[in-house]
Amino acid sequence: MSQSTPPPQEHTYTLTRDLDASASQVFDAWTAPAQYEQWAGAAPGTVEIDARPGGTWKAVMVTPDGQRIPLTGSYLAVVPDERLVIGMDVPGRSVPATMTLVFEESAGAGTTRVTLSQSCDSAQEREMAEAGSNMLLDSLGSYLAKG
């Protein structure tokens, strides 16, 4: 008799950052195309965001070496100023990769803790996704600090 086993957890990662901004400011930076373009490394004029459950997003990201990478996906869950669950289309994969962002504002401190988590299919995918997510969160922190 065979038993089904859960997917391996070693391909999951979670990152947190404390950012000097309100949850509303952080949420807007992720969901307003003009803001997202400024901090996320997207090519100018390529960001489209419809941040509602079932809404879609797309952007052409530009790597530090100038490579252009088109990305697409959809929003699986949206709770303004609190949570985003983003589906990311992956070529050759029948279901999207899922990234979850949770925004927790510190009462009276003017800061927000962002927790980003993602599960990947392989160690290599996890390594690449985690590196990209770290760069995104670092860039978001710098963008918000400029206020």
Side-chain angles (χ1 to χ4, degrees):
M1 180 187 319
S2 67
Q3 293 181 327
S4 64
T5 56
Q9 293 301 304
E10 67 266 17
H11 303 314
T12 298
Y13 67 93
T14 300
L15 305 171
T16 58
R17 293 289 192 289
D18 291 322
L19 303 176
D20 291 324
S22 69
S24 177
Q25 290 170 308
V26 177
F27 183 86
D28 289 349
W30 274 100
T31 59
Q35 287 190 55
Y36 187 86
E37 184 179 288
Q38 290 180 47
W39 65 267
T46 67
V47 177
E48 294 179 22
I49 294 175
D50 182 8
R52 61 183 173 83
T56 60
W57 64 270
K58 70 178 183 176
V60 175
M61 306 310 281
V62 181
T63 64
D65 65 0
Q67 182 182 4
R68 294 171 64 94
I69 303 169
L71 301 175
T72 59
S74 60
Y75 290 92
L76 307 176
V78 177
V79 180
D81 305 341
E82 293 180 20
R83 185 169 180 258
L84 289 171
V85 181
I86 303 168
M88 299 171 290
D89 299 328
V90 179
R93 188 170 163 176
S94 61
V95 295
T98 303
M99 174 189 289
T100 300
L101 294 153
V102 176
F103 311 109
E104 298 171 280
E105 189 168 338
S106 301
T111 63
T112 298
R113 173 164 287 173
V114 177
T115 303
L116 181 156
S117 58
Q118 184 173 345
S119 293
C120 302
D121 288 340
S122 68
Q124 180 182 15
E125 180 185 330
R126 177 190 183 272
E127 187 177 305
M128 291 174 53
E130 187 172 4
S133 293
N134 268 308
M135 288 191 318
L136 276 176
L137 290 173
D138 290 346
S139 183
L140 175 61
S142 295
Y143 169 76
L144 291 169
K146 294 175 187 171

